[in-house]
Amino acid sequence: MGMVGGGIGAFIGEVHRKAAAMDGQIELVCGAFDIDPEKSKEAGKLFFLPEDRVYGTYQEMFAAEKKLPEGERMDFVSIVTPNHVHFPVAKAALENGFHVVSEKPMTVTSEEAGELVALAGETGLEFAVTHTYTGYPMVKQARHMIRNGDLGKLRKVVVEYPQGWLSTKLEGTVQQATWRTDPKQAGPAGAMGDIGSHAENLAEYITGLRITEICADLTTHVEGRPLDDDVNVLLRFENGARGVMHASQISAGEENALRIFVYGEKGGIEWHQHNPNTLLVKHLDRPMEVYRTGVDHGGYLSDAAMHNTRVPGGHPEGYIEAFANIYRNFAHTLGCLMQGEKPSPEMLDFPTAKDGLRGMRFIETVIASSNNDQKWTPVK
Amino acid sequence: MGMVGGGIGAFIGEVHRKAAAMDGQIELVCGAFDIDPEKSKEAGKLFFLPEDRVYGTYQEMFAAEKKLPEGERMDFVSIVTPNHVHFPVAKAALENGFHVVSEKPMTVTSEEAGELVALAGETGLEFAVTHTYTGYPMVKQARHMIRNGDLGKLRKVVVEYPQGWLSTKLEGTVQQATWRTDPKQAGPAGAMGDIGSHAENLAEYITGLRITEICADLTTHVEGRPLDDDVNVLLRFENGARGVMHASQISAGEENALRIFVYGEKGGIEWHQHNPNTLLVKHLDRPMEVYRTGVDHGGYLSDAAMHNTRVPGGHPEGYIEAFANIYRNFAHTLGCLMQGEKPSPEMLDFPTAKDGLRGMRFIETVIASSNNDQKWTPVK
Amino acid sequence: MGMVGGGIGAFIGEVHRKAAAMDGQIELVCGAFDIDPEKSKEAGKLFFLPEDRVYGTYQEMFAAEKKLPEGERMDFVSIVTPNHVHFPVAKAALENGFHVVSEKPMTVTSEEAGELVALAGETGLEFAVTHTYTGYPMVKQARHMIRNGDLGKLRKVVVEYPQGWLSTKLEGTVQQATWRTDPKQAGPAGAMGDIGSHAENLAEYITGLRITEICADLTTHVEGRPLDDDVNVLLRFENGARGVMHASQISAGEENALRIFVYGEKGGIEWHQHNPNTLLVKHLDRPMEVYRTGVDHGGYLSDAAMHNTRVPGGHPEGYIEAFANIYRNFAHTLGCLMQGEKPSPEMLDFPTAKDGLRGMRFIETVIASSNNDQKWTPVK
Amino acid sequence: MGMVGGGIGAFIGEVHRKAAAMDGQIELVCGAFDIDPEKSKEAGKLFFLPEDRVYGTYQEMFAAEKKLPEGERMDFVSIVTPNHVHFPVAKAALENGFHVVSEKPMTVTSEEAGELVALAGETGLEFAVTHTYTGYPMVKQARHMIRNGDLGKLRKVVVEYPQGWLSTKLEGTVQQATWRTDPKQAGPAGAMGDIGSHAENLAEYITGLRITEICADLTTHVEGRPLDDDVNVLLRFENGARGVMHASQISAGEENALRIFVYGEKGGIEWHQHNPNTLLVKHLDRPMEVYRTGVDHGGYLSDAAMHNTRVPGGHPEGYIEAFANIYRNFAHTLGCLMQGEKPSPEMLDFPTAKDGLRGMRFIETVIASSNNDQKWTPVK
């Protein structure tokens, strides 16, 4: 794998490298880690890369890598830049024949995202978007149970994503805060783009249902911040289910408390990202059950949950493992393709460009809804 | 105290009696427990009442009790009938000079509620509405801390009240379900009236803020049910804070999971009714603190929280104790009035007719909002 | 009911009164609340008692009450004095024909306790000892499931009772601390008598097994304290099960964290007093189940658990309700006896004098074991 | 790094490889993965190793690697065989000049462990023993706070390690169970060696105190099992603190529920391995605090906790990350040594051969205590 972005001090690039490395299936072989070529080199050294595989720009990288023999050149590129750079890099990668793993939100506009979906389709290249939270085994278990009809017809979905780290004006001081609140780098949405898009992805992934109409209220609470830092949305789903989503970066004292509650005619599920190895399964007339991640829980966990689990029950798996599931499934998918095999979409499941496009459309609809006086705005 | 309603098999009447009895301050002296006078008598026997203090109707009761000498006659009446009977009984009580404790929702329309507020004002009689959940010590602690500015200016409020017991069509079979889903007895709102009104009361009580605008989506998921069983609402508060409320009686597998999250500029609080003796207090830059009910926690709990606590930390207090706090504070208030003393509104705090009226207006606004296409509907 | 002890400021007397009053089955009719007759009178006034039913001494009380006609005189006495007074009062009560509810530990020596057991047997009077924690519905559920063989043969029991309130030398300053650490009033054991005896009672109640051998280590950590404040014990049960008990009043920062874990061949249970409405039920090959208190949980709860429950699931019941279960079952038992009916031991279950005697023997064995060099000391 | 053991299907070898790979600091370059050379080769292929670096025996491996030039040959060996093979491999590694990472328990006897400690001392080679649980950031935080005097003088320690997976006789069927219950492969202790040794290590690591005397009761509950499957021990610490340890593999329904409670004069801490990113900090007179792992929690976390953390708060880190902390700190220590720098023992902390020896002595003392009639057995 090659990497664009993710130089020294970058949070998410480091996570991508750890996630990719963990299972011994993926090797970082090259990168363009920083706009500043000197910093890029410095980073490459830290990652034990040979100097000639550390590039000044992504354009250079794609041009050079393309010329290397198969088996030596990178198989895919991991894009971990600020949001506004996702699109040009991903486009160039696809045009040069490289598979792509891209950070979310996939692009800055749904138009760009649509272009990438089309390009991926034309080239036949794989494109993953790191909506990390669907990588957790218990999220896959929840999806499996709902698909399987264990909850009956779904009626209500509550998805919540409170964070508190932007309660004060960190932008200008803290790098992570600066670009995420700058429309030029982050795109048109703040909290909505950064974490609301994860919430939407999680809700549609688990339920298997499309959100068809929304009513949104975006707010900026911290003075002088140009993007929203608080999101409240009423949801209507295609099958008649209703619900709410809220996400915020001004929920003072909260860490990264993504959680979801889904209720159907026959039961409910509850999952908290802070406690990701537990899935609460609720029933109408008998005690709630506590499902737990574990390679020794094959007696009741689905194949998909088991496939994305590494250790026995009670040995906590965390965020990096969820991330690594995306990389591992992506790598295995590429492996299948190389060997002419058909990858199992159930087992080697990861969020694709289509999910990324869906996310961009949802973000844009939330902004539109928040700006208009109409009660319900359809999500296309 | 006298009681109207709450005969054998009634859930909430039994709770009122236990709550009133617990602290040894209030004695049940008479009642009209059932529309069927025979059943009323039977109930009176069970409650160790003399036959001549068990009445066939509330009208009879008020007439007879009025004639008894002070000290012997009931001081106040507790109304625990289905919703549509609250108003006539309360009105008659006030007109006959009796203080009132009424179940919620206070009435079936805000007009009725307004009439009772006016009547209470004119007569100078006390009127409590049993919004039980504000009786918990940790709810009072949360209110105290917010008033005190501990969280700074408030920005976000999330109040949630999932129940699951009406996931199937129990009405017709289970008495509790039958009247609560019958518009003639329950009034125009289902889940919204039954539990949504508690959520509203809790949110305004804790924050000290008025909800000024809402956007609501009421749904009936169980076929053939004439009232809503699911409530989703966007909230805007007078100070610019935003939030969501959702309540439901079709959240399959949930018990009575009322919970609230409030965030301000400096911190946040979280409270769950299932675990009522704990208040989570969140800070921007230091570890979350776990506040706990306990008569030995005077070192950090507010006077109001302490006043509504009975036992040391780690001896759980529950729903009946929260209920008893309303009764105890009401009784002490009457005691003060009898002795010409001024009761402390902070210490002897209980929900009043004004809170009940507020609740009725909120219910009506939610219904109106849900029925119109306008995004925001003001709450008067 | 009459009461001995429990004057103004006494913690546990107040709890007894609330517990007895809650269900409307028991009325406080007389008392000798304090050694100081003036203080006793003052207390009686607060409890709305007529002056002539407030006595200077328990001897006076028994003599006077005995002369009153049945129906008017107290039916039983509740003893809530410091430990060393339990015995003489209980003895006098039985000798004068009154049933007894006594605080724990039942007496100061097992000899005294044995004498009371014998006397109760001879007189045919009922004798309850308030080992409160077995009054919780989920404790009764755990006992039921174990009796029913749901866990298979038991193998391991861990019972823990950490408190922290005596981490510093409160005695001399705080009344509760003073008598509980004074051998003259508390008896020969400190933490062991005060809370270790609850832990023993809970373990034997839930498992239905006798502890047959122990190895104990009692410690006093706070300088100058004459009694133990920390207890650690290895346990061996009659059926070969093993385990540990530890209890402490110097576990700084703990409230009243009694908890128990029982494991058998087929599963396990876990119960925490801080969260008393939940019973965790663990299985070998399927997800843990979360049993919950609730009058609407008759689908899976035992008759005994249901009988000791007052409200639907999600309306927390607490310490006072557990206490009230002892009183209610005791009162119903007396009611049966008065009407010549046989009370159901399963439904009207409460801790008896025999449990109190068992507790005293256990306390004495722990002290003996702690003082000798022998590994195992049998519990008689 | 080279690896001995850990072929296909081995649980812990796979974990070691993931932990070593995660941070991009350590590369697996060779191995002798199985006693069967064919299986070893097969494994090597899976791990993308060149054929000539996959060896039939560890002796071969050490001989061959030694001849390779520095920078190419492995720097250290990771030993992940069944227990009885740890010693000969580790000895050979040290004798051939290789640093060692060894699974625990370090050896089968304390004599062997002592020999390795001496050999490591003589050769100046580094020796890590993977007592994984001390790799968690919150465990390091607890140690820091206790060292810092935040809890005052320690008084009580409770360490618990319930597992349930050996509740039935899996040995003979499940490979993991077979060798762990076979004295020839596991050594003289069952549950005590496998998990009790972790509990001891955790308790002494966090408290900084030596256990000086114990009283142990080992039991075998599953018929026909030659080693203990349940452990109960009274503990006395060098400073006068007391406590209990219990560990079990027959606690039916438990996963890997290692937890520890430590109390001092001024406060207490509580940590659960199932929820490893949380450390509960308890105080005498103010609310409990909830410390949380996170690279953004430098405001209150110690340097050592921060150094062993990878992601911001609310992004759960788990078992593999704790394991990776041992590897990363070990690798950085080797890096320092190679560059002639002195590694910081605080920052680059990992369990050493001395901890392994301590563990072996403790295991042997528990067995001795369990077999004798003496109350207290000193731990040397």
Side-chain angles (χ1 to χ4, degrees):
Chain A
M1 123 177 149
M3 181 168 268
V4 178
I8 296 162
F11 156 53
I12 208 66
E14 183 68 19
V15 171
H16 279 252
R17 284 190 296 271
K18 290 182 198 303
M22 180 187 286
D23 294 305
Q25 304 293 311
I26 296 167
E27 199 183 351
L28 178 68
V29 296
C30 64
F33 301 104
D34 205 295
I35 335 178
D36 177 340
E38 279 316 300
K39 285 193 180 164
S40 185
K41 271 188 193 165
E42 213 181 317
K45 211 175 285 174
L46 263 182
F47 310 150
F48 301 108
L49 291 182
E51 277 193 27
D52 61 345
R53 302 291 287 278
V54 183
Y55 303 94
T57 66
Y58 68 86
Q59 292 93 338
E60 254 181 70
M61 181 166 100
F62 294 150
E65 290 287 319
K66 223 165 108 174
K67 292 178 196 152
L68 294 176
E70 202 175 319
E72 194 177 328
R73 72 163 177 256
M74 71 171 186
D75 292 314
F76 70 92
V77 66
S78 176
I79 307 172
V80 293
T81 64
N83 303 349
H84 67 304
V85 188
H86 294 171
F87 174 70
V89 179
K91 193 178 167 193
L94 292 173
E95 288 171 347
N96 283 284
F98 295 108
H99 304 285
V100 173
V101 175
S102 170
E103 251 305 314
K104 48 61 31 198
M106 184 177 171
T107 53
V108 171
T109 68
S110 64
E111 207 183 357
E112 290 174 353
E115 200 178 325
L116 292 178
V117 168
L119 201 51
E122 290 160 24
T123 57
L125 293 163
E126 293 293 322
F127 198 116
V129 179
T130 51
H131 278 300
T132 323
Y133 301 105
T134 56
Y136 279 112
M138 287 299 99
V139 168
K140 296 187 187 291
Q141 177 66 20
R143 182 168 81 142
H144 166 81
M145 293 174 77
I146 286 168
R147 275 191 180 186
N148 199 42
D150 293 5
L151 307 193
K153 190 192 161 208
L154 298 189
R155 290 170 166 173
K156 178 145 193 180
V157 179
V158 178
V159 61
E160 313 185 295
Y161 202 154
Q163 290 185 338
W165 71 290
L166 290 175
S167 288
T168 57
K169 203 170 176 186
L170 295 184
E171 45 265 46
T173 318
V174 173
Q175 189 193 343
Q176 289 297 327
T178 305
W179 76 259
R180 281 170 207 257
T181 58
D182 173 6
K184 285 187 206 128
Q185 298 183 70
M192 181 57 219
D194 200 24
I195 60 174
S197 61
H198 278 310
E200 171 271 329
N201 180 257
L202 184 67
E204 295 200 344
Y205 180 82
I206 281 188
T207 62
L209 295 174
R210 288 279 166 139
I211 299 164
T212 49
E213 283 185 299
I214 62 164
C215 175
D217 192 19
L218 293 180
T219 314
T220 304
H221 288 282
V222 172
E223 218 176 326
R225 180 170 288 164
L227 295 176
D228 62 279
D229 50 26
D230 189 40
V231 181
N232 298 297
V233 190
L234 299 181
L235 306 175
R236 289 181 162 187
F237 290 82
E238 54 180 316
N239 76 332
R242 304 292 170 92
V244 298
M245 161 194 294
H246 65 88
S248 182
Q249 293 176 318
I250 55 82
S251 291
E254 297 289 356
E255 295 183 337
N256 192 44
L258 176 62
R259 52 189 183 251
I260 188 165
F261 306 75
V262 181
Y263 302 99
E265 290 178 342
K266 300 195 295 186
I269 61 97
E270 176 178 342
W271 180 79
H272 293 239
Q273 195 266 152
H274 278 195
N275 195 11
N277 299 297
T278 293
L279 178 70
L280 301 179
V281 180
K282 300 169 191 193
H283 304 286
L284 286 184
D285 297 314
R286 56 192 175 94
M288 180 171 79
E289 292 178 295
V290 181
Y291 282 55
R292 297 271 298 158
T293 305
V295 292
D296 48 345
H297 293 175
Y300 67 87
L301 291 183
S302 66
D303 290 350
M306 292 297 287
H307 175 73
N308 288 281
T309 299
R310 286 167 182 78
V311 277
H315 297 76
E317 301 191 53
Y319 175 74
I320 301 178
E321 285 79 1
F323 226 113
N325 286 338
I326 295 179
Y327 270 100
R328 191 169 61 169
N329 290 344
F330 185 78
H332 283 167
T333 297
L334 298 192
C336 287
L337 296 177
M338 286 172 193
Q339 291 165 35
E341 290 168 18
K342 214 186 147 172
S344 153
E346 179 72 15
M347 290 299 107
L348 300 182
D349 166 55
F350 57 83
T352 67
K354 284 182 187 167
D355 298 304
L357 169 58
R358 175 75 186 155
M360 290 315 302
R361 285 200 180 130
F362 189 78
I363 291 171
E364 289 173 355
T365 312
V366 165
I367 294 171
S369 169
S370 187
N371 288 337
N372 70 32
D373 279 339
Q374 189 181 323
K375 189 160 179 181
W376 295 105
T377 303
V379 187
K380 279 162 223 158
Chain B
M1 122 176 152
M3 180 168 269
V4 178
I8 295 163
F11 156 53
I12 207 68
E14 183 68 19
V15 171
H16 278 252
R17 284 189 295 272
K18 290 182 198 303
M22 180 186 286
D23 294 306
Q25 304 294 311
I26 297 168
E27 198 183 351
L28 178 68
V29 295
C30 63
F33 301 105
D34 204 296
I35 334 178
D36 177 341
E38 280 314 301
K39 285 193 181 163
S40 187
K41 272 188 195 166
E42 212 182 318
K45 211 173 287 175
L46 262 182
F47 310 150
F48 302 108
L49 291 183
E51 277 192 26
D52 62 345
R53 303 292 286 277
V54 183
Y55 303 94
T57 65
Y58 68 87
Q59 292 93 336
E60 254 181 68
M61 180 164 100
F62 294 150
E65 289 287 320
K66 225 165 105 175
K67 293 180 198 150
L68 294 176
E70 202 175 319
E72 195 177 326
R73 73 163 177 257
M74 72 171 183
D75 292 315
F76 69 93
V77 65
S78 176
I79 307 172
V80 294
T81 63
N83 302 348
H84 67 304
V85 189
H86 294 171
F87 174 69
V89 180
K91 194 179 166 194
L94 293 173
E95 287 170 349
N96 283 283
F98 295 108
H99 304 284
V100 173
V101 175
S102 169
E103 252 304 316
K104 47 59 34 194
M106 185 177 170
T107 52
V108 170
T109 68
S110 65
E111 208 182 358
E112 291 173 351
E115 201 178 325
L116 293 178
V117 167
L119 201 51
E122 289 161 24
T123 57
L125 293 162
E126 293 291 322
F127 198 116
V129 179
T130 50
H131 278 299
T132 324
Y133 301 105
T134 57
Y136 279 112
M138 288 298 100
V139 168
K140 296 187 186 291
Q141 178 65 20
R143 183 169 79 142
H144 166 81
M145 294 174 76
I146 286 167
R147 275 190 180 188
N148 199 43
D150 294 5
L151 308 193
K153 190 193 160 206
L154 299 190
R155 289 170 167 173
K156 179 146 193 179
V157 179
V158 178
V159 61
E160 313 186 295
Y161 202 154
Q163 289 185 338
W165 70 290
L166 289 176
S167 289
T168 56
K169 204 170 176 186
L170 294 185
E171 45 265 47
T173 317
V174 174
Q175 188 194 345
Q176 288 298 325
T178 304
W179 77 257
R180 281 170 207 257
T181 58
D182 173 6
K184 285 185 208 132
Q185 298 183 71
M192 181 56 218
D194 200 26
I195 60 174
S197 61
H198 278 310
E200 171 272 328
N201 180 256
L202 184 67
E204 294 201 344
Y205 180 83
I206 281 188
T207 63
L209 294 174
R210 288 278 165 139
I211 298 164
T212 49
E213 283 185 299
I214 62 164
C215 175
D217 192 19
L218 292 180
T219 314
T220 304
H221 288 283
V222 172
E223 219 176 326
R225 181 170 287 163
L227 294 175
D228 62 279
D229 50 25
D230 188 40
V231 181
N232 298 296
V233 191
L234 299 181
L235 306 175
R236 288 180 162 188
F237 290 82
E238 54 180 316
N239 77 332
R242 304 291 170 93
V244 299
M245 161 194 294
H246 65 87
S248 182
Q249 292 177 318
I250 53 83
S251 291
E254 296 289 357
E255 295 183 338
N256 192 44
L258 176 62
R259 52 188 183 252
I260 189 165
F261 305 75
V262 181
Y263 303 99
E265 290 178 342
K266 299 194 297 187
I269 61 97
E270 176 178 341
W271 180 79
H272 294 239
Q273 195 267 150
H274 278 195
N275 194 12
N277 300 296
T278 293
L279 178 70
L280 301 179
V281 180
K282 300 170 191 193
H283 304 287
L284 286 182
D285 297 314
R286 55 191 176 95
M288 180 171 77
E289 290 178 296
V290 181
Y291 281 54
R292 296 270 299 159
T293 304
V295 292
D296 49 344
H297 294 173
Y300 67 86
L301 291 185
S302 66
D303 290 349
M306 292 297 287
H307 174 73
N308 288 281
T309 300
R310 285 166 182 78
V311 276
H315 298 76
E317 299 192 52
Y319 175 73
I320 301 178
E321 285 79 0
F323 226 113
N325 286 338
I326 295 179
Y327 270 99
R328 190 169 62 169
N329 289 344
F330 185 78
H332 283 166
T333 297
L334 298 192
C336 288
L337 296 177
M338 286 171 193
Q339 292 165 36
E341 291 169 16
K342 215 185 145 172
S344 153
E346 178 73 15
M347 289 299 107
L348 299 182
D349 166 55
F350 56 84
T352 67
K354 284 181 186 166
D355 298 303
L357 169 57
R358 175 76 186 154
M360 290 315 302
R361 285 199 180 130
F362 189 78
I363 291 171
E364 289 172 355
T365 312
V366 165
I367 294 171
S369 169
S370 187
N371 289 337
N372 69 31
D373 278 341
Q374 190 181 322
K375 189 160 178 180
W376 296 105
T377 302
V379 187
K380 280 162 224 159
Chain C
M1 119 177 153
M3 180 168 269
V4 177
I8 295 161
F11 156 53
I12 207 66
E14 184 67 20
V15 171
H16 279 252
R17 283 190 296 271
K18 290 181 198 302
M22 180 185 288
D23 294 306
Q25 304 293 311
I26 297 167
E27 197 184 353
L28 179 67
V29 295
C30 64
F33 300 104
D34 203 295
I35 335 179
D36 178 340
E38 279 315 301
K39 287 194 180 162
S40 185
K41 271 187 195 166
E42 212 182 317
K45 211 173 288 176
L46 264 182
F47 310 150
F48 302 108
L49 292 183
E51 277 194 28
D52 62 344
R53 303 291 287 276
V54 182
Y55 302 94
T57 66
Y58 67 87
Q59 292 93 337
E60 256 180 67
M61 179 164 101
F62 294 149
E65 290 286 320
K66 224 164 108 176
K67 292 179 198 150
L68 294 175
E70 202 175 319
E72 194 177 328
R73 74 164 176 256
M74 72 172 185
D75 292 315
F76 69 92
V77 65
S78 176
I79 306 172
V80 294
T81 63
N83 302 348
H84 68 301
V85 189
H86 294 170
F87 174 69
V89 180
K91 195 179 167 192
L94 293 173
E95 287 171 348
N96 283 284
F98 295 108
H99 304 284
V100 173
V101 174
S102 170
E103 252 303 315
K104 49 59 33 194
M106 185 177 171
T107 52
V108 171
T109 68
S110 65
E111 208 182 357
E112 291 173 352
E115 201 177 324
L116 293 178
V117 168
L119 200 51
E122 288 162 24
T123 57
L125 293 161
E126 292 293 322
F127 198 116
V129 180
T130 51
H131 278 299
T132 324
Y133 301 104
T134 57
Y136 279 112
M138 287 298 100
V139 167
K140 297 189 188 290
Q141 177 66 19
R143 183 170 80 143
H144 166 81
M145 293 174 77
I146 287 168
R147 274 192 181 184
N148 199 43
D150 294 5
L151 307 193
K153 190 193 161 206
L154 300 189
R155 288 169 167 175
K156 178 145 192 179
V157 178
V158 177
V159 61
E160 312 186 295
Y161 202 154
Q163 290 185 337
W165 69 290
L166 289 175
S167 288
T168 56
K169 203 170 177 186
L170 295 185
E171 45 265 47
T173 317
V174 174
Q175 187 194 345
Q176 289 299 325
T178 305
W179 76 256
R180 281 169 208 258
T181 59
D182 173 6
K184 283 187 208 129
Q185 297 182 71
M192 181 56 218
D194 201 25
I195 59 174
S197 61
H198 278 310
E200 171 272 328
N201 181 256
L202 183 67
E204 294 200 344
Y205 180 82
I206 281 188
T207 63
L209 294 174
R210 289 280 165 136
I211 299 164
T212 48
E213 283 185 300
I214 62 164
C215 175
D217 192 18
L218 292 180
T219 314
T220 304
H221 287 282
V222 172
E223 219 176 324
R225 181 169 288 163
L227 293 176
D228 62 279
D229 50 25
D230 188 41
V231 181
N232 297 296
V233 190
L234 299 180
L235 306 175
R236 289 181 161 186
F237 289 82
E238 54 180 316
N239 77 332
R242 304 291 169 92
V244 299
M245 160 195 295
H246 65 87
S248 181
Q249 293 175 319
I250 54 83
S251 291
E254 296 289 358
E255 295 182 339
N256 193 42
L258 176 62
R259 53 187 182 253
I260 188 165
F261 305 76
V262 180
Y263 302 100
E265 290 178 342
K266 299 195 295 188
I269 60 97
E270 178 178 340
W271 180 80
H272 293 239
Q273 195 270 149
H274 278 195
N275 194 12
N277 299 297
T278 293
L279 177 70
L280 301 178
V281 179
K282 301 170 189 191
H283 304 286
L284 286 183
D285 297 314
R286 56 191 176 95
M288 180 170 78
E289 290 177 297
V290 181
Y291 281 55
R292 296 271 300 159
T293 304
V295 293
D296 49 345
H297 294 173
Y300 66 86
L301 290 184
S302 66
D303 291 348
M306 291 297 287
H307 175 72
N308 288 281
T309 299
R310 285 167 184 77
V311 277
H315 298 77
E317 300 192 54
Y319 175 75
I320 300 179
E321 285 80 359
F323 225 112
N325 286 337
I326 295 179
Y327 269 99
R328 191 169 63 168
N329 289 343
F330 185 77
H332 282 167
T333 296
L334 298 192
C336 288
L337 295 177
M338 285 171 191
Q339 292 166 33
E341 290 170 16
K342 215 185 147 174
S344 154
E346 179 71 15
M347 290 300 108
L348 300 181
D349 166 54
F350 57 83
T352 66
K354 283 182 187 166
D355 298 304
L357 169 57
R358 175 75 186 155
M360 291 315 302
R361 283 198 181 132
F362 188 78
I363 292 171
E364 289 173 355
T365 311
V366 165
I367 295 172
S369 169
S370 187
N371 289 336
N372 69 31
D373 280 340
Q374 192 179 320
K375 190 161 180 180
W376 295 104
T377 302
V379 187
K380 277 162 227 157
Chain D
M1 121 177 151
M3 181 170 267
V4 178
I8 295 162
F11 155 53
I12 207 66
E14 184 67 20
V15 172
H16 278 251
R17 283 190 298 270
K18 289 182 198 303
M22 180 186 289
D23 294 306
Q25 303 295 311
I26 297 168
E27 197 184 352
L28 178 67
V29 294
C30 63
F33 300 104
D34 204 298
I35 334 179
D36 177 341
E38 279 316 300
K39 287 192 178 166
S40 186
K41 270 188 195 167
E42 212 182 318
K45 211 173 288 175
L46 264 181
F47 309 149
F48 302 108
L49 291 182
E51 278 194 27
D52 62 344
R53 302 292 288 274
V54 183
Y55 303 94
T57 66
Y58 68 87
Q59 293 93 336
E60 254 181 68
M61 180 165 99
F62 293 150
E65 289 288 318
K66 223 164 108 175
K67 291 178 197 153
L68 295 175
E70 202 175 319
E72 193 177 328
R73 73 163 176 253
M74 71 172 183
D75 291 316
F76 68 93
V77 65
S78 176
I79 307 173
V80 293
T81 63
N83 302 348
H84 67 301
V85 188
H86 294 170
F87 174 69
V89 180
K91 193 178 168 194
L94 294 173
E95 287 171 347
N96 283 283
F98 295 108
H99 303 285
V100 173
V101 174
S102 170
E103 252 304 315
K104 50 61 25 198
M106 185 179 170
T107 53
V108 171
T109 68
S110 65
E111 207 182 0
E112 290 173 353
E115 201 177 325
L116 294 178
V117 168
L119 201 52
E122 289 161 23
T123 58
L125 292 162
E126 292 293 322
F127 198 116
V129 179
T130 51
H131 278 299
T132 324
Y133 301 104
T134 57
Y136 278 112
M138 287 299 101
V139 168
K140 296 187 188 292
Q141 178 65 20
R143 182 168 81 143
H144 166 81
M145 294 175 77
I146 286 168
R147 273 190 182 185
N148 199 42
D150 293 4
L151 307 194
K153 189 193 162 204
L154 298 189
R155 288 169 167 174
K156 179 145 190 180
V157 179
V158 177
V159 61
E160 312 185 295
Y161 202 155
Q163 290 185 337
W165 69 291
L166 289 175
S167 288
T168 55
K169 203 170 177 186
L170 294 185
E171 44 264 47
T173 317
V174 174
Q175 189 194 346
Q176 288 298 327
T178 305
W179 77 257
R180 281 171 207 257
T181 58
D182 172 7
K184 284 186 205 128
Q185 296 183 71
M192 181 57 220
D194 200 26
I195 61 175
S197 61
H198 278 310
E200 171 272 328
N201 181 257
L202 183 68
E204 295 199 343
Y205 180 82
I206 281 188
T207 63
L209 294 174
R210 288 281 166 136
I211 299 164
T212 48
E213 282 185 301
I214 62 163
C215 175
D217 191 20
L218 292 180
T219 313
T220 304
H221 287 282
V222 172
E223 218 175 325
R225 181 170 287 163
L227 293 176
D228 62 279
D229 50 27
D230 188 40
V231 181
N232 297 296
V233 190
L234 298 180
L235 306 174
R236 290 181 160 186
F237 289 81
E238 55 181 315
N239 77 332
R242 304 292 169 93
V244 299
M245 160 194 293
H246 66 88
S248 181
Q249 292 176 318
I250 54 83
S251 291
E254 296 289 358
E255 294 182 340
N256 193 43
L258 176 61
R259 53 188 183 251
I260 188 165
F261 305 76
V262 181
Y263 303 100
E265 290 177 342
K266 300 195 294 188
I269 61 98
E270 177 178 339
W271 181 78
H272 293 239
Q273 196 269 149
H274 278 195
N275 194 12
N277 299 297
T278 293
L279 178 69
L280 301 179
V281 180
K282 300 170 190 192
H283 304 286
L284 286 183
D285 297 314
R286 56 190 176 95
M288 180 170 79
E289 291 178 297
V290 181
Y291 282 54
R292 296 270 300 159
T293 304
V295 293
D296 48 346
H297 294 174
Y300 65 86
L301 291 183
S302 66
D303 291 349
M306 292 296 287
H307 175 73
N308 288 280
T309 299
R310 284 167 183 78
V311 277
H315 298 75
E317 301 192 52
Y319 175 74
I320 301 178
E321 284 80 0
F323 225 112
N325 286 337
I326 294 180
Y327 270 100
R328 191 169 63 168
N329 289 344
F330 185 78
H332 283 166
T333 297
L334 299 192
C336 288
L337 296 177
M338 286 171 191
Q339 291 165 36
E341 289 168 18
K342 215 185 146 172
S344 153
E346 180 70 16
M347 289 300 107
L348 300 180
D349 167 54
F350 56 83
T352 67
K354 283 180 186 167
D355 298 304
L357 169 57
R358 176 73 186 156
M360 291 314 303
R361 284 198 181 132
F362 189 77
I363 292 170
E364 289 173 355
T365 311
V366 165
I367 295 171
S369 169
S370 186
N371 289 336
N372 69 31
D373 279 340
Q374 191 180 321
K375 189 160 180 181
W376 295 105
T377 302
V379 186
K380 278 163 225 156

